[in-house]
Amino acid sequence: MLSTVIPVYNEAESLEQLFAELCEVATTHGYELDVIFVDDGSTDGSWAKIVELAGRDSRVRGIRFRRNFGKAAALNAGFAAVRGEHAMTLDADLQDDPHEIPNFLAKINSGLDVVSGWKQTRHDPWHKVLPSRVFNGMVSWLTGVKLHDHNCGMKCYRREVLGEVHMYGELHRFVPVLAAARGFKIGEHVVQHRARKFGHSKFGVERLIKGFLDLLTVKFLTTYGRRPMHPLGTIAAIAAVWGVGQYGCRALVEVLWTSGRTPLISSADEQLTSAVYLASSSTSDLVTLYFWLVVSLLFFLTGLLAELIVATRGPNRDIFSIAETVGHTSDRSTS
Ligand code: UDP
Ligand code: MG
């Protein structure tokens, strides 16, 4: 059985053709097809189309979110409903070609856990392609998961991976990184990419800054997600040592300076000036010391809170809300 998870956000015009192509591939290659459409709060009649397809064909199931929760949440909800041994994700806009599915399965069967698509020749405008190249380079370099196209909508997963990778927000761009961090084997496969036929892209230029911030989150999550006190506590210790060290050095210099100067101070005036200077300089030194100690304390307390969260985090981390489902959905998707 081959499950396909398809996030849908205002793609009504594409669904009929997409389903027809999926059926054609399944028939040709003898797959038992399981199509899961996740309607991520569409307002264009996508859900009506999904209901129609599910009514016509029992291989189609649909999940409708109450509002738009994002592609990552849609994929998560779809993953929870997967019945097949393998799951293929595809974008709903017909940019991903279902005829590539057999190639993905062949790679998975060669011993990989996740096969990510690589849109080597892209049919998108340059202002999408260029930033995407830079982004992919950065992700590969920073995370060590070397893929040309982390954000390709077309990916194939072994079922075990799905239960372990939790996405939210726009973390769908990092599924291979999150999976690799759990020890799964990742590979890639060059896919034919098609131009968008209907509708428009749902991701604008703001995805650049979001993608970069998410990259930092993912780097932190995959490296220190289970031990946040290590980096935060280290910063706390550095701040404390820096503050105390600086204060100690200044105090030492001042003691040496005054002990050298005292015999030379003769008049009461000079003594007063020197005392005022020392008092004001030691006050500012103290303020600096307190500053670094407070910084240190903040990092330490944040680390403690983070550890508490990690230690007591409940099992239910879903952040979407399902309004209704259609087709023979399994209990896993509706619970
Ligand atoms: N999508 C979604 N929720 C969103 C945005 C997008 O489910 O909030 C779906 C969308 O319907 C499509 C896929 O994610 O099936 C990829 O979106 P899009 O084609 O707009 O991205 P692009 O190809 O331009 O990167
Ligand atoms: Mg697209």
Side-chain angles (χ1 to χ4, degrees):
M1 180 184 263
L2 170 74
S3 291
T4 55
V5 175
I6 305 168
V8 180
Y9 185 40
N10 295 336
E11 315 278 7
E13 302 106 308
S14 306
L15 299 182
E16 185 78 51
Q17 185 185 334
L18 178 60
F19 182 58
E21 288 186 26
L22 284 170
C23 291
E24 183 202 323
V25 173
T27 313
T28 314
H29 295 270
Y31 304 139
E32 186 188 345
L33 194 59
D34 171 36
V35 182
I36 304 159
F37 287 112
V38 186
D39 178 4
D40 185 15
S42 298
T43 51
D44 72 336
S46 290
W47 180 248
K49 189 76 215 170
I50 293 167
V51 171
E52 184 201 320
L53 291 174
R56 231 167 54 201
D57 195 315
S58 63
R59 293 174 296 177
V60 176
R61 293 184 282 155
I63 296 169
R64 180 172 78 80
F65 281 178
R66 284 182 209 287
R67 63 163 173 83
N68 179 241
F69 282 92
K71 188 177 176 182
L75 289 174
N76 247 355
F79 285 171
V82 161
R83 288 176 184 152
E85 278 315 299
H86 301 113
M88 193 73 223
T89 60
L90 292 100
D91 285 353
D93 56 2
L94 294 170
Q95 289 201 267
D96 295 334
D97 186 350
H99 296 94
E100 297 280 359
I101 291 175
N103 304 326
F104 277 87
L105 288 174
K107 281 243 161 116
I108 284 278
N109 288 331
S110 75
L112 294 170
D113 298 305
V114 180
V115 178
S116 184
W118 170 14
K119 308 180 289 273
Q120 201 169 30
T121 315
R122 276 182 74 158
H123 296 278
D124 278 323
W126 68 269
H127 54 83
K128 267 186 100 79
V129 178
L130 194 69
S132 168
R133 293 245 159 89
V134 176
F135 177 79
N136 281 308
M138 262 168 53
V139 178
S140 298
W141 170 66
L142 208 63
T143 64
V145 181
K146 309 244 178 283
L147 292 180
H148 291 89
D149 192 0
H150 285 265
N151 193 20
C152 186
M154 211 173 186
K155 291 189 174 74
C156 192
Y157 301 87
R158 232 177 249 285
R159 192 201 174 109
E160 303 92 280
V161 184
L162 307 180
E164 293 200 26
V165 177
H166 294 277
M167 293 170 280
Y168 54 90
E170 292 185 10
L171 291 194
H172 58 269
R173 299 193 179 95
F174 300 96
V175 193
V177 176
L178 295 171
R182 300 189 69 85
F184 289 112
K185 288 201 211 71
I186 318 291
E188 68 183 346
H189 167 69
V190 176
V191 293
Q192 297 297 321
H193 190 232
R194 308 191 286 202
R196 213 180 221 286
K197 205 165 160 189
F198 307 104
H200 56 86
S201 172
K202 309 303 182 304
F203 299 99
V205 263
E206 76 285 354
R207 76 189 183 285
L208 280 179
I209 182 81
K210 289 185 191 169
F212 180 70
L213 293 174
D214 283 346
L215 173 58
L216 298 183
T217 306
V218 166
K219 178 70 189 162
F220 186 83
L221 276 180
T222 52
T223 317
Y224 300 112
R226 289 274 142 195
R227 48 187 181 105
M229 188 50 127
H230 285 183
L232 295 169
T234 305
I235 297 175
I238 291 172
V241 168
W242 175 255
V244 172
Q246 221 182 18
Y247 183 77
C249 287
R250 286 219 186 115
L252 194 70
V253 168
E254 263 162 32
V255 166
L256 294 176
W257 186 77
T258 16
S259 63
R261 286 269 302 175
T262 314
L264 300 174
I265 297 169
S266 48
S267 74
D269 250 12
E270 263 184 67
Q271 278 184 17
L272 188 67
T273 321
S274 167
V276 167
Y277 170 77
L278 277 179
S280 69
S281 79
S282 64
T283 311
S284 80
D285 285 353
L286 263 182
V287 170
T288 315
L289 172 68
Y290 289 153
F291 170 79
W292 285 112
L293 288 182
V294 168
V295 167
S296 169
L297 193 69
L298 281 178
F299 272 96
F300 178 73
L301 291 178
T302 311
L304 221 54
L305 274 179
E307 287 285 338
L308 207 69
I309 293 168
V310 170
T312 58
R313 187 161 51 183
N316 188 2
R317 279 179 280 156
D318 292 341
I319 46 87
F320 49 81
S321 168
I322 294 172
E324 56 187 308
T325 58
V326 69
H328 304 277
T329 39
S330 70
D331 288 337
R332 292 178 68 213
S333 68
T334 49
S335 62

